[in-house]
Amino acid sequence: TGKLSALYLSMPKTSGSGWAVSSMKLVSNDIWYIRVKLTGVDKQRLRFDIGGQGTKGQIYGDAEKDGVLDLGGSPIYKSGTGYYVIKVNDKTMKYSVAAQ
């Protein structure tokens, strides 16, 4: 079970215009998971969205850059290419982004 009913990852589209949204999976109690391929697009960043629609008041980022999501926080910048595993604990709001 999770605190949230759904969680989405948002990243810039490879075209550079707009945000691509992908549904995350609840894989165990409070842990959301997604595996993505980063392409090294300029200013690669990500954020989390509880509605999947980019609605203000439902988007999480990391305001303090401390590994804990904040409602309305700044997008999380991540450089690199290849596959990454992203996890979010919706109880603590801690997240991780790890190369695979």
Side-chain angles (χ1 to χ4, degrees):
T1 62
K3 178 180 160 188
L4 302 173
S5 60
L7 187 62
Y8 299 86
L9 174 72
S10 304
M11 298 185 336
K13 292 181 180 178
T14 55
S15 65
S17 177
W19 290 82
V21 177
S22 301
S23 179
M24 296 183 73
K25 292 180 184 176
L26 185 64
V27 293
S28 65
N29 286 344
D30 305 306
I31 305 296
W32 294 86
Y33 166 96
I34 192 167
R35 181 176 177 255
V36 296
K37 184 176 183 182
L38 298 183
T39 59
V41 71
D42 188 40
K43 297 181 182 175
Q44 179 67 58
R45 59 204 184 278
L46 49 106
R47 60 188 186 182
F48 300 90
D49 187 336
I50 57 174
Q53 302 295 316
T55 304
K56 189 175 181 177
Q58 295 186 337
I59 298 172
Y60 285 82
D62 189 350
E64 288 86 30
K65 297 181 176 115
D66 59 359
V68 178
L69 296 176
D70 306 292
L71 188 59
S74 305
I76 300 154
Y77 284 84
K78 185 67 183 171
S79 61
T81 59
Y83 288 96
Y84 285 77
V85 170
I86 300 170
K87 294 180 183 178
V88 175
N89 181 319
D90 70 4
K91 189 173 186 179
T92 64
M93 298 311 282
K94 290 183 179 180
Y95 69 91
S96 64
V97 180
Q100 189 175 37

